[in-house]
Amino acid sequence: VDVLERYFLRASGSGFKMAAICGLGGCGKTTLAAHFAWKHQAEYHGGVFWISMEDDRKFENSMNDLALRLGMLADSFDLTLSKVLECISQRKKPWLLVLDDVDQSCLSNQMRKVLLGRWKRRANGQLLLTTRREPTEVCESLHIESSCCVEIVSFSQDEAKKFLVRRSGIDNA
């Protein structure tokens, strides 16, 4: 969380910023993103938005849900997506958009539009994504600075045992 706070909240200047949380499945990427969003929601006066990028169906459903809340639902998904991105990008107050499970190596055109589109050029917000992809690949393909890519690693078996013993309060001696 410290890296995200330093980059998103303490860095000077407004404008668009993008960061990633990388790691194996089940290591806590989504939990970390949710914790960060919850902890700092008061600082995002423009709103906190959550989109699932797990697959095309979940992406479309979560984007349509967001569009419905924003009053931007249109006749086609492409139009809905454009309207939502335009709405978010025009917000003057800072916002956070979490893109959860950006794991696919081949993203749909709509997903690519969210991640790489021109809508971000004039935006005053932050995009945080979670992914199982390798940090170097994420940084290169999505144009994220390596210092803005948090990698979560799992405990070794010994570290996990020590952690559980400490947390349980049981003396294992």
Side-chain angles (χ1 to χ4, degrees):
V1 174
D2 291 341
V3 172
L4 297 174
E5 288 173 344
R6 272 194 309 275
Y7 179 64
F8 278 159
L9 304 172
R10 297 184 191 132
S12 62
S14 58
F16 182 79
K17 294 177 185 156
M18 190 167 163
I21 302 171
C22 302
L24 297 174
C27 72
K29 301 176 299 293
T30 298
T31 302
L32 178 61
H35 175 73
F36 177 83
W38 178 81
K39 182 178 177 185
H40 297 288
Q41 66 184 340
E43 296 158 54
Y44 292 108
H45 301 288
V48 175
F49 312 102
W50 196 282
I51 300 294
S52 173
M53 302 269 284
E54 187 175 340
D55 58 39
D56 290 334
R57 184 184 55 79
K58 287 185 179 181
F59 171 66
E60 190 168 332
N61 287 342
S62 59
M63 188 59 75
N64 282 332
D65 288 345
L66 176 56
L68 193 58
R69 285 187 309 172
L70 295 173
M72 301 282 155
L73 200 56
D75 293 337
S76 72
F77 180 66
D78 286 335
L79 185 55
T80 295
L81 178 61
S82 294
K83 289 174 79 170
V84 167
L85 295 178
E86 184 70 19
C87 174
I88 291 172
S89 73
Q90 290 182 352
R91 289 174 180 243
K92 301 293 182 220
K93 295 179 180 177
W95 47 264
L96 175 67
L97 175 60
V98 179
L99 301 176
D100 195 27
D101 293 324
V102 184
D103 301 334
Q104 300 176 33
S105 58
C106 185
L107 299 169
S108 69
N109 288 336
Q110 290 94 349
M111 287 181 182
R112 292 181 57 75
K113 182 175 183 175
V114 174
L115 288 163
L116 301 168
R118 292 181 296 195
W119 71 274
K120 301 179 300 186
R121 287 185 184 165
R122 61 187 180 280
N124 183 32
Q126 297 160 352
L127 194 147
L128 176 60
L129 61 100
T130 68
T131 183
R132 294 179 184 185
R133 294 161 69 181
E134 288 293 320
T136 51
E137 181 211 344
V138 170
C139 291
E140 289 172 10
S141 64
L142 301 177
H143 313 293
I144 298 175
E145 296 176 36
S146 59
S147 62
C148 305
C149 192
V150 177
E151 184 174 15
I152 298 179
V153 293
S154 301
F155 286 142
S156 69
Q157 193 169 9
D158 285 341
E159 290 170 327
K161 286 178 187 176
K162 288 176 187 175
F163 174 78
L164 288 173
V165 168
R166 273 196 317 268
R167 293 290 293 198
S168 69
I170 299 171
D171 187 3
N172 198 22

PDB file of all heavy atoms in Angstrom, residues 102-118:
ATOM      1  N   VAL A 102      -6.799  -8.134 -14.859  1.00  0.00           N
ATOM      2  CA  VAL A 102      -6.345  -7.872 -16.234  1.00  0.00           C
ATOM      3  C   VAL A 102      -5.307  -8.954 -16.567  1.00  0.00           C
ATOM      4  O   VAL A 102      -4.114  -8.695 -16.621  1.00  0.00           O
ATOM      5  CB  VAL A 102      -5.743  -6.456 -16.372  1.00  0.00           C
ATOM      6  CG1 VAL A 102      -5.364  -6.164 -17.824  1.00  0.00           C
ATOM      7  CG2 VAL A 102      -6.705  -5.408 -15.852  1.00  0.00           C
ATOM      8  N   ASP A 103      -5.782 -10.180 -16.745  1.00  0.00           N
ATOM      9  CA  ASP A 103      -4.896 -11.336 -16.874  1.00  0.00           C
ATOM     10  C   ASP A 103      -4.724 -11.828 -18.306  1.00  0.00           C
ATOM     11  O   ASP A 103      -3.751 -12.499 -18.616  1.00  0.00           O
ATOM     12  CB  ASP A 103      -5.425 -12.497 -16.029  1.00  0.00           C
ATOM     13  CG  ASP A 103      -5.530 -12.136 -14.555  1.00  0.00           C
ATOM     14  OD1 ASP A 103      -4.784 -11.257 -14.101  1.00  0.00           O
ATOM     15  OD2 ASP A 103      -6.385 -12.730 -13.873  1.00  0.00           O
ATOM     16  N   GLN A 104      -5.659 -11.538 -19.172  1.00  0.00           N
ATOM     17  CA  GLN A 104      -5.619 -12.069 -20.529  1.00  0.00           C
ATOM     18  C   GLN A 104      -4.430 -11.498 -21.299  1.00  0.00           C
ATOM     19  O   GLN A 104      -4.156 -10.312 -21.240  1.00  0.00           O
ATOM     20  CB  GLN A 104      -6.909 -11.716 -21.262  1.00  0.00           C
ATOM     21  CG  GLN A 104      -8.155 -12.265 -20.610  1.00  0.00           C
ATOM     22  CD  GLN A 104      -9.396 -11.787 -21.327  1.00  0.00           C
ATOM     23  OE1 GLN A 104      -9.391 -11.601 -22.536  1.00  0.00           O
ATOM     24  NE2 GLN A 104     -10.470 -11.579 -20.586  1.00  0.00           N
ATOM     25  N   SER A 105      -3.762 -12.357 -22.037  1.00  0.00           N
ATOM     26  CA  SER A 105      -2.648 -11.861 -22.858  1.00  0.00           C
ATOM     27  C   SER A 105      -3.174 -11.172 -24.113  1.00  0.00           C
ATOM     28  O   SER A 105      -2.540 -10.281 -24.649  1.00  0.00           O
ATOM     29  CB  SER A 105      -1.709 -13.012 -23.228  1.00  0.00           C
ATOM     30  OG  SER A 105      -2.416 -14.020 -23.913  1.00  0.00           O
ATOM     31  N   CYS A 106      -4.348 -11.590 -24.570  1.00  0.00           N
ATOM     32  CA  CYS A 106      -4.960 -10.968 -25.742  1.00  0.00           C
ATOM     33  C   CYS A 106      -6.263 -10.303 -25.300  1.00  0.00           C
ATOM     34  O   CYS A 106      -7.262 -10.970 -25.068  1.00  0.00           O
ATOM     35  CB  CYS A 106      -5.228 -12.034 -26.809  1.00  0.00           C
ATOM     36  SG  CYS A 106      -5.838 -11.338 -28.344  1.00  0.00           S
ATOM     37  N   LEU A 107      -6.222  -8.981 -25.163  1.00  0.00           N
ATOM     38  CA  LEU A 107      -7.376  -8.229 -24.683  1.00  0.00           C
ATOM     39  C   LEU A 107      -8.296  -7.840 -25.832  1.00  0.00           C
ATOM     40  O   LEU A 107      -7.833  -7.579 -26.939  1.00  0.00           O
ATOM     41  CB  LEU A 107      -6.905  -6.971 -23.960  1.00  0.00           C
ATOM     42  CG  LEU A 107      -6.034  -7.186 -22.727  1.00  0.00           C
ATOM     43  CD1 LEU A 107      -5.417  -5.873 -22.280  1.00  0.00           C
ATOM     44  CD2 LEU A 107      -6.838  -7.808 -21.596  1.00  0.00           C
ATOM     45  N   SER A 108      -9.583  -7.769 -25.553  1.00  0.00           N
ATOM     46  CA  SER A 108     -10.543  -7.322 -26.560  1.00  0.00           C
ATOM     47  C   SER A 108     -10.270  -5.852 -26.896  1.00  0.00           C
ATOM     48  O   SER A 108      -9.605  -5.139 -26.145  1.00  0.00           O
ATOM     49  CB  SER A 108     -11.968  -7.472 -26.029  1.00  0.00           C
ATOM     50  OG  SER A 108     -12.206  -6.539 -24.985  1.00  0.00           O
ATOM     51  N   ASN A 109     -10.805  -5.401 -28.005  1.00  0.00           N
ATOM     52  CA  ASN A 109     -10.639  -4.002 -28.403  1.00  0.00           C
ATOM     53  C   ASN A 109     -11.203  -3.053 -27.354  1.00  0.00           C
ATOM     54  O   ASN A 109     -10.630  -1.991 -27.102  1.00  0.00           O
ATOM     55  CB  ASN A 109     -11.302  -3.742 -29.764  1.00  0.00           C
ATOM     56  CG  ASN A 109     -10.518  -4.365 -30.895  1.00  0.00           C
ATOM     57  OD1 ASN A 109      -9.324  -4.609 -30.790  1.00  0.00           O
ATOM     58  ND2 ASN A 109     -11.210  -4.633 -31.991  1.00  0.00           N
ATOM     59  N   GLN A 110     -12.326  -3.435 -26.748  1.00  0.00           N
ATOM     60  CA  GLN A 110     -12.925  -2.578 -25.721  1.00  0.00           C
ATOM     61  C   GLN A 110     -12.037  -2.486 -24.485  1.00  0.00           C
ATOM     62  O   GLN A 110     -11.878  -1.411 -23.906  1.00  0.00           O
ATOM     63  CB  GLN A 110     -14.322  -3.090 -25.326  1.00  0.00           C
ATOM     64  CG  GLN A 110     -15.362  -2.917 -26.401  1.00  0.00           C
ATOM     65  CD  GLN A 110     -15.508  -4.169 -27.263  1.00  0.00           C
ATOM     66  OE1 GLN A 110     -14.699  -5.094 -27.203  1.00  0.00           O
ATOM     67  NE2 GLN A 110     -16.544  -4.193 -28.083  1.00  0.00           N
ATOM     68  N   MET A 111     -11.453  -3.608 -24.071  1.00  0.00           N
ATOM     69  CA  MET A 111     -10.542  -3.590 -22.921  1.00  0.00           C
ATOM     70  C   MET A 111      -9.299  -2.754 -23.239  1.00  0.00           C
ATOM     71  O   MET A 111      -8.819  -1.997 -22.391  1.00  0.00           O
ATOM     72  CB  MET A 111     -10.135  -5.014 -22.536  1.00  0.00           C
ATOM     73  CG  MET A 111     -11.212  -5.820 -21.877  1.00  0.00           C
ATOM     74  SD  MET A 111     -10.561  -7.459 -21.459  1.00  0.00           S
ATOM     75  CE  MET A 111     -12.000  -8.234 -20.763  1.00  0.00           C
ATOM     76  N   ARG A 112      -8.796  -2.903 -24.452  1.00  0.00           N
ATOM     77  CA  ARG A 112      -7.632  -2.110 -24.869  1.00  0.00           C
ATOM     78  C   ARG A 112      -7.962  -0.617 -24.861  1.00  0.00           C
ATOM     79  O   ARG A 112      -7.121   0.210 -24.527  1.00  0.00           O
ATOM     80  CB  ARG A 112      -7.142  -2.548 -26.245  1.00  0.00           C
ATOM     81  CG  ARG A 112      -6.538  -3.958 -26.244  1.00  0.00           C
ATOM     82  CD  ARG A 112      -6.029  -4.380 -27.609  1.00  0.00           C
ATOM     83  NE  ARG A 112      -5.046  -3.476 -28.174  1.00  0.00           N
ATOM     84  CZ  ARG A 112      -3.771  -3.373 -27.795  1.00  0.00           C
ATOM     85  NH1 ARG A 112      -3.338  -4.129 -26.820  1.00  0.00           N
ATOM     86  NH2 ARG A 112      -2.956  -2.536 -28.390  1.00  0.00           N
ATOM     87  N   LYS A 113      -9.197  -0.284 -25.208  1.00  0.00           N
ATOM     88  CA  LYS A 113      -9.612   1.120 -25.212  1.00  0.00           C
ATOM     89  C   LYS A 113      -9.533   1.701 -23.791  1.00  0.00           C
ATOM     90  O   LYS A 113      -9.106   2.837 -23.604  1.00  0.00           O
ATOM     91  CB  LYS A 113     -11.032   1.243 -25.759  1.00  0.00           C
ATOM     92  CG  LYS A 113     -11.533   2.658 -25.856  1.00  0.00           C
ATOM     93  CD  LYS A 113     -12.900   2.698 -26.521  1.00  0.00           C
ATOM     94  CE  LYS A 113     -13.386   4.117 -26.696  1.00  0.00           C
ATOM     95  NZ  LYS A 113     -14.640   4.171 -27.448  1.00  0.00           N
ATOM     96  N   VAL A 114      -9.940   0.923 -22.808  1.00  0.00           N
ATOM     97  CA  VAL A 114      -9.876   1.384 -21.417  1.00  0.00           C
ATOM     98  C   VAL A 114      -8.421   1.544 -20.981  1.00  0.00           C
ATOM     99  O   VAL A 114      -8.044   2.548 -20.384  1.00  0.00           O
ATOM    100  CB  VAL A 114     -10.620   0.419 -20.467  1.00  0.00           C
ATOM    101  CG1 VAL A 114     -10.432   0.834 -19.021  1.00  0.00           C
ATOM    102  CG2 VAL A 114     -12.095   0.357 -20.821  1.00  0.00           C
ATOM    103  N   LEU A 115      -7.604   0.566 -21.299  1.00  0.00           N
ATOM    104  CA  LEU A 115      -6.213   0.562 -20.831  1.00  0.00           C
ATOM    105  C   LEU A 115      -5.301   1.504 -21.606  1.00  0.00           C
ATOM    106  O   LEU A 115      -4.390   2.095 -21.026  1.00  0.00           O
ATOM    107  CB  LEU A 115      -5.644  -0.860 -20.898  1.00  0.00           C
ATOM    108  CG  LEU A 115      -6.198  -1.812 -19.849  1.00  0.00           C
ATOM    109  CD1 LEU A 115      -5.923  -3.245 -20.235  1.00  0.00           C
ATOM    110  CD2 LEU A 115      -5.607  -1.482 -18.490  1.00  0.00           C
ATOM    111  N   LEU A 116      -5.515   1.626 -22.907  1.00  0.00           N
ATOM    112  CA  LEU A 116      -4.568   2.366 -23.750  1.00  0.00           C
ATOM    113  C   LEU A 116      -5.186   3.540 -24.501  1.00  0.00           C
ATOM    114  O   LEU A 116      -4.488   4.224 -25.244  1.00  0.00           O
ATOM    115  CB  LEU A 116      -3.931   1.401 -24.761  1.00  0.00           C
ATOM    116  CG  LEU A 116      -3.173   0.226 -24.157  1.00  0.00           C
ATOM    117  CD1 LEU A 116      -2.844  -0.808 -25.225  1.00  0.00           C
ATOM    118  CD2 LEU A 116      -1.923   0.702 -23.451  1.00  0.00           C
ATOM    119  N   GLY A 117      -6.464   3.772 -24.317  1.00  0.00           N
ATOM    120  CA  GLY A 117      -7.174   4.775 -25.112  1.00  0.00           C
ATOM    121  C   GLY A 117      -6.800   6.222 -24.825  1.00  0.00           C
ATOM    122  O   GLY A 117      -6.234   6.550 -23.784  1.00  0.00           O
ATOM    123  N   ARG A 118      -7.176   7.076 -25.760  1.00  0.00           N
ATOM    124  CA  ARG A 118      -6.887   8.505 -25.665  1.00  0.00           C
ATOM    125  C   ARG A 118      -7.716   9.209 -24.602  1.00  0.00           C
ATOM    126  O   ARG A 118      -7.411  10.339 -24.238  1.00  0.00           O
ATOM    127  CB  ARG A 118      -7.115   9.168 -27.018  1.00  0.00           C
ATOM    128  CG  ARG A 118      -6.111   8.730 -28.061  1.00  0.00           C
ATOM    129  CD  ARG A 118      -6.360   9.422 -29.345  1.00  0.00           C
ATOM    130  NE  ARG A 118      -7.681   8.998 -29.839  1.00  0.00           N
ATOM    131  CZ  ARG A 118      -8.116   9.176 -31.057  1.00  0.00           C
ATOM    132  NH1 ARG A 118      -7.376   9.787 -31.929  1.00  0.00           N
ATOM    133  NH2 ARG A 118      -9.301   8.763 -31.432  1.00  0.00           N
TER     134      ARG A 118
END
